[in-house]
Amino acid sequence: MAEELNERSQNILEAIVEDYISSAEPVGSRAITKRHSFNLSPASVRNVMSDLEEMGFLCSPHTSAGRVPTEKGFHYYIDSLLQVRDLSKEEETRLRQNYRFQGMKMEDIMQEVGRVMSGLSNYTGLVMAPKFASTVFRQIEFVRLSHGRLLVIYVSETGLVQNKVIEGVPDLSSHELEQISNYLNHELTGLSIQDVREKIARELQTERSNYDRLQKQALSLSSTALQDEAGDLIFVSGTSLMLEQPEFSTPDQMKRIIKTLESKSTLIELLDQSQTAQGVQIFIGSQSQHVEIEGCSLVTSSFSNKKGAIGTLGVIGPVRMPYSEVIPIVDFTAQLVSRILEREAE
Amino acid sequence: MAEELNERSQNILEAIVEDYISSAEPVGSRAITKRHSFNLSPASVRNVMSDLEEMGFLCSPHTSAGRVPTEKGFHYYIDSLLQVRDLSKEEETRLRQNYRFQGMKMEDIMQEVGRVMSGLSNYTGLVMAPKFASTVFRQIEFVRLSHGRLLVIYVSETGLVQNKVIEGVPDLSSHELEQISNYLNHELTGLSIQDVREKIARELQTERSNYDRLQKQALSLSSTALQDEAGDLIFVSGTSLMLEQPEFSTPDQMKRIIKTLESKSTLIELLDQSQTAQGVQIFIGSQSQHVEIEGCSLVTSSFSNKKGAIGTLGVIGPVRMPYSEVIPIVDFTAQLVSRILEREAE
DNA sequence: TGTTAGCACTCATCGAGACAGAGTGCTAAC
DNA sequence: GTTAGCACTCTGTCTCGATGAGTGCTAACA
């Protein structure tokens, strides 16, 4: 990937990528010389293009079509040629105005973030809410349902609300439940779920005799309640925008894309991958092992509050994507969401 | 619609509809005589088909194709010819085994019901959870978020959990909040949201002087919390199954369908319509005013518990649908969900 | 040596025409 | 009332040739 290109080759590669991004069609030597004013003839451009093809940056669908950037070509473009300008103050304001989070709960915010990001970029928006396990305990409440069934409501520092039904618990009075939740809220506030689990496991093991029945009950209940990972919360918005892309215009491709976006498991894996890194990340097509998203590119960024509850958001679209526009949108949105989470956490 | 058909015409119409359901292609006179053993020649069948076409039950895409049932034809088939056998005990058991609701909360159950129903029928499943306003109050809890922001958690009799953030409320201590929720839970349990709203409005108006500050606070808070309709909860499963249908095989049709299923507003209207009726309902294509679902058929049924929280579920697919299989699935599922809601309610 | 004009070549796309196949409608016979 | 026979219609597919865009190569030029 560290291959050197002279300036002319770079310029031409850049021109080809950009023309291809806006047209979605193979670009020929003549088109290049027309649209960009290099002082070169088509023939010279052809020579360069031929070199670029040999190096694997371009390929031609067939002899008499123009050239199309390969994934390697896109990579080079993104790594070395792309200039992402920051958003101007006005643009930022404009973007910010699209978001209205007044009085929204976590899920709604995530959903809304996806919708707006999708609308701004014109690509399909993905948002993965912070994982349950990565959240910080704020509060737990119990609600009695029918006999032996209990609804547990768990609120994280960031305002993420999880509820879960647990069955086969001994019947407890409202008063007892209240005591239990008071006890737990007092003991656990501020700990990460990871810590909470460890703490509970530890205390349950020691079985200190000075615990009263209710305390034991409380520990056992919370253990059950926080036990297994709640399913990943992932929000996909603007699915149909994918279908507008010329690269996914055949019925078969449409089916493939829709199925992929529908099942979500692939998306979760992809978003998980980019979770660790800082700032905007770009995954191009087959770079990942997922065949399902062949021809797709993912622009993502993670968000978090200071306490580290991490989620990931981004957009997915064809490899041929106007990165210079999409990247700032994703970047800004991630920062914005981080700030909102901070605010939620006080 | 009350047109009379003699027995032969009925038999032939039935044969055509059923052949068309399984093949998705225009059916010709010869095919009919081959597959079903009427003692008739193709020519005779042709005469009947010609009559049926004149009456509007059939139409031919062009002169030299077979006949396709019109929507009117399907209507007649469903109203007069279709025999829906009940599920056998074994089939019921088999269906029931697909459902595992242990330890699931309301949303998950709805989601899961949709998934299973979609899987069983091989069509896209739709589930609309009972509307917030139609639920019965069981419990309300408050959680303090950052300064001036409050998370309200509301649980209905059926275990449906709604949460909502309200802003700009005076800062109250945990203790005060507890008192408030105790007060509200005591006052409101068992009332429908409709009743709750009215009651609160009434009490707020009278402003009885013997109310203390907290009680007023409680009323005002709950008023805000229960104020506006929470968005309809609708679950769509198996979207991509739609794309497998030959009637939606062109890119344009695919886009149309996906957009319709994505936006959900059309679906909500459709499901709302069928909410009132008892038992399984069938909407055929342009019967409704929604152009978006041209060529689609909807098989729905409502579910409810004794207290009347009503939701609707069903499947959507092409008009050419094996109703005799789909109807029992939808019917059974609706009954099953009703029973689960009863159980939740104790 | 790098650049360019010229030209032959390749290949996808499009429309016209031919053809096979399926199915109908009509007529005449049973 | 039913049916066999036959002409007719229409679609889908295939082939063929024309078109045009774009390339690669070669030879001339600065």
Side-chain angles (χ1 to χ4, degrees):
Chain A
M1 188 59 64
E3 276 167 277
E4 284 302 316
L5 290 183
N6 60 35
E7 195 179 332
R8 176 190 291 183
S9 301
Q10 288 194 350
N11 289 338
I12 289 181
L13 179 56
E14 185 173 7
I16 292 174
V17 171
E18 283 172 2
D19 279 18
Y20 181 67
I21 284 177
S22 64
S23 75
E25 270 166 22
V27 357
S29 53
R30 240 178 84 81
I32 295 280
T33 57
K34 277 208 167 172
R35 210 161 355 223
H36 307 72
S37 48
F38 309 127
N39 291 323
L40 285 177
S41 72
S44 307
V45 173
R46 277 206 289 282
N47 288 330
V48 178
M49 284 166 84
S50 185
D51 295 347
L52 287 171
E53 177 162 8
E54 212 167 315
M55 287 189 270
F57 292 109
L58 301 178
C59 69
S60 36
H62 53 85
T63 35
S64 78
R67 301 299 212 295
V68 170
T70 58
E71 292 193 356
K72 183 176 172 189
F74 270 103
H75 259 120
Y76 190 93
Y77 171 77
I78 290 168
D79 293 344
S80 311
L81 307 174
L82 180 65
Q83 311 237 352
V84 185
R85 45 180 191 72
D86 280 347
L87 295 171
S88 70
K89 276 281 163 247
E90 300 89 65
E91 286 171 310
E92 257 192 41
T93 320
R94 199 173 52 77
L95 281 194
R96 200 188 302 270
Q97 276 167 354
N98 281 286
Y99 292 101
R100 310 213 169 282
F101 298 128
Q102 295 296 319
M104 282 195 177
K105 60 183 196 246
M106 191 67 170
E107 277 97 329
D108 294 342
I109 292 179
M110 296 292 136
Q111 181 93 54
E112 181 66 5
V113 161
R115 246 198 303 269
V116 174
M117 197 168 49
S118 167
L120 289 171
S121 66
N122 259 302
Y123 292 95
T124 303
L126 305 176
V127 181
M128 187 170 67
K131 284 198 192 306
F132 180 60
S134 75
T135 59
V136 174
F137 187 98
R138 177 198 283 261
Q139 188 161 344
I140 198 165
E141 297 292 336
F142 299 95
V143 178
R144 287 165 62 210
L145 296 178
S146 54
H147 178 79
R149 303 173 68 249
L150 207 55
L151 178 74
V152 186
I153 297 162
Y154 158 81
V155 186
S156 78
E157 272 297 337
T158 54
L160 182 65
V161 180
Q162 297 265 2
N163 15 337
K164 182 173 169 183
V165 177
I166 55 184
E167 316 218 358
V169 291
D171 236 359
L172 295 161
S173 72
S174 301
H175 183 67
E176 287 172 315
L177 284 176
E178 203 171 291
Q179 284 185 299
I180 289 178
S181 57
N182 281 345
Y183 169 70
L184 290 173
N185 287 332
H186 182 259
E187 288 290 308
L188 305 176
T189 298
L191 298 179
S192 80
I193 288 297
Q194 202 49 45
D195 294 344
V196 168
R197 286 192 188 134
E198 282 164 18
K199 179 176 173 126
I200 291 176
R202 220 168 30 242
E203 313 242 326
L204 274 176
Q205 240 170 12
T206 57
E207 292 265 11
R208 291 185 227 160
S209 52
N210 58 342
Y211 278 1
D212 64 18
R213 187 182 66 85
L214 264 185
Q215 278 176 323
K216 278 188 195 148
Q217 195 60 258
L219 289 173
S220 137
L221 266 186
S222 60
S223 165
T224 315
L226 303 176
Q227 193 170 54
D228 45 321
E229 194 76 17
D232 289 287
L233 269 179
I234 189 160
F235 302 93
V236 182
S237 330
T239 308
S240 63
L241 291 171
M242 252 347 205
L243 304 185
E244 303 294 338
Q245 299 301 330
E247 27 270 279
F248 310 123
S249 62
T250 71
D252 281 348
Q253 286 161 327
M254 287 189 175
K255 282 188 209 171
R256 198 193 73 212
I257 295 293
I258 295 294
K259 275 186 197 153
T260 308
L261 293 178
E262 188 183 15
S263 84
K264 295 182 178 172
S265 56
T266 310
L267 300 180
I268 290 173
E269 284 181 44
L270 284 167
L271 292 176
D272 268 345
Q273 273 178 39
S274 52
Q275 184 134 300
T276 46
Q278 276 286 321
V280 173
Q281 280 218 295
I282 300 175
F283 283 89
I284 294 182
S286 55
Q287 188 175 5
S288 76
Q289 307 81 320
H290 297 277
V291 205
E292 308 94 296
I293 58 151
E294 207 178 86
C296 292
S297 225
L298 214 64
V299 178
T300 66
S301 182
S302 289
F303 56 87
S304 61
N305 66 359
K306 283 178 197 119
K307 291 194 179 138
I310 294 176
T312 305
L313 53 75
V315 303
I316 185 169
V319 175
R320 178 194 63 77
M321 207 195 256
Y323 295 96
S324 61
E325 296 170 25
V326 171
I327 290 173
I329 293 176
V330 171
D331 193 25
F332 176 77
T333 306
Q335 287 172 33
L336 188 68
V337 173
S338 292
R339 248 171 288 145
I340 290 170
L341 291 190
E342 305 279 338
R343 200 194 60 188
E344 302 258 347
E346 222 130 357
Chain B
M1 187 59 64
E3 276 169 277
E4 284 301 316
L5 290 182
N6 59 38
E7 196 178 331
R8 177 190 289 180
S9 302
Q10 288 194 350
N11 289 338
I12 289 181
L13 178 55
E14 185 173 5
I16 292 175
V17 171
E18 284 172 3
D19 278 17
Y20 180 67
I21 284 178
S22 63
S23 75
E25 268 164 23
V27 357
S29 52
R30 240 179 84 82
I32 294 282
T33 56
K34 278 208 169 173
R35 205 153 6 215
H36 307 73
S37 50
F38 308 126
N39 290 323
L40 283 177
S41 71
S44 306
V45 172
R46 277 208 288 282
N47 288 329
V48 177
M49 286 165 85
S50 183
D51 294 347
L52 287 170
E53 177 161 10
E54 212 168 313
M55 288 189 272
F57 293 110
L58 301 178
C59 68
S60 37
H62 53 84
T63 35
S64 79
R67 301 298 211 295
V68 169
T70 58
E71 292 193 356
K72 183 177 171 187
F74 270 103
H75 259 122
Y76 189 92
Y77 170 77
I78 291 168
D79 292 343
S80 312
L81 306 174
L82 180 64
Q83 310 237 353
V84 185
R85 47 181 188 71
D86 281 346
L87 295 172
S88 70
K89 277 282 164 245
E90 299 88 67
E91 285 172 309
E92 258 192 40
T93 319
R94 198 172 53 77
L95 283 194
R96 202 188 302 268
Q97 276 167 354
N98 280 286
Y99 292 100
R100 310 213 169 281
F101 298 128
Q102 293 297 319
M104 282 194 177
K105 60 184 195 240
M106 190 67 171
E107 277 98 330
D108 294 340
I109 292 179
M110 296 291 135
Q111 182 94 52
E112 180 66 7
V113 161
R115 246 198 303 269
V116 174
M117 196 169 49
S118 167
L120 290 171
S121 66
N122 259 301
Y123 292 95
T124 302
L126 305 175
V127 181
M128 187 170 67
K131 284 198 188 309
F132 180 61
S134 74
T135 59
V136 173
F137 187 98
R138 178 197 284 259
Q139 187 161 345
I140 198 165
E141 296 293 336
F142 298 94
V143 179
R144 286 165 62 208
L145 297 177
S146 55
H147 178 78
R149 302 174 67 249
L150 206 55
L151 178 72
V152 187
I153 297 162
Y154 158 80
V155 187
S156 77
E157 272 297 336
T158 52
L160 183 65
V161 181
Q162 298 266 359
N163 16 333
K164 182 174 169 182
V165 177
I166 55 183
E167 316 218 358
V169 291
D171 238 358
L172 295 162
S173 71
S174 301
H175 182 67
E176 286 173 315
L177 283 177
E178 202 171 292
Q179 284 187 298
I180 288 178
S181 57
N182 282 344
Y183 169 69
L184 289 174
N185 287 332
H186 182 260
E187 289 290 308
L188 305 176
T189 299
L191 299 178
S192 80
I193 290 297
Q194 202 49 43
D195 294 344
V196 168
R197 284 190 189 137
E198 282 164 19
K199 179 177 173 124
I200 292 175
R202 218 167 34 239
E203 313 241 325
L204 273 176
Q205 240 173 9
T206 57
E207 292 266 12
R208 291 185 226 159
S209 52
N210 56 344
Y211 278 0
D212 63 19
R213 188 182 66 85
L214 266 184
Q215 278 178 322
K216 279 189 194 146
Q217 195 61 258
L219 288 174
S220 136
L221 266 185
S222 59
S223 166
T224 316
L226 302 177
Q227 194 169 55
D228 45 319
E229 194 76 16
D232 289 285
L233 270 179
I234 189 160
F235 302 93
V236 182
S237 332
T239 308
S240 62
L241 291 171
M242 255 337 207
L243 305 184
E244 302 294 338
Q245 300 300 329
E247 27 269 280
F248 309 123
S249 61
T250 71
D252 281 348
Q253 285 160 329
M254 287 187 174
K255 283 188 208 170
R256 197 192 73 211
I257 294 294
I258 296 293
K259 275 185 196 153
T260 308
L261 294 179
E262 188 183 18
S263 84
K264 294 184 180 173
S265 55
T266 310
L267 299 180
I268 290 173
E269 284 181 44
L270 285 167
L271 292 176
D272 268 346
Q273 274 178 39
S274 52
Q275 183 132 303
T276 45
Q278 277 285 323
V280 174
Q281 280 216 295
I282 300 175
F283 283 89
I284 295 184
S286 56
Q287 188 175 6
S288 75
Q289 308 82 319
H290 296 277
V291 204
E292 307 95 298
I293 59 153
E294 208 178 85
C296 292
S297 227
L298 214 64
V299 178
T300 66
S301 181
S302 289
F303 56 86
S304 61
N305 66 0
K306 284 179 196 119
K307 291 195 180 138
I310 295 175
T312 305
L313 53 75
V315 304
I316 186 168
V319 174
R320 179 192 63 79
M321 207 195 255
Y323 295 96
S324 61
E325 295 170 25
V326 171
I327 291 173
I329 293 176
V330 170
D331 193 25
F332 176 78
T333 306
Q335 288 173 32
L336 187 68
V337 173
S338 293
R339 248 172 288 145
I340 290 169
L341 291 191
E342 304 280 337
R343 199 194 61 188
E344 302 258 347
E346 223 132 354

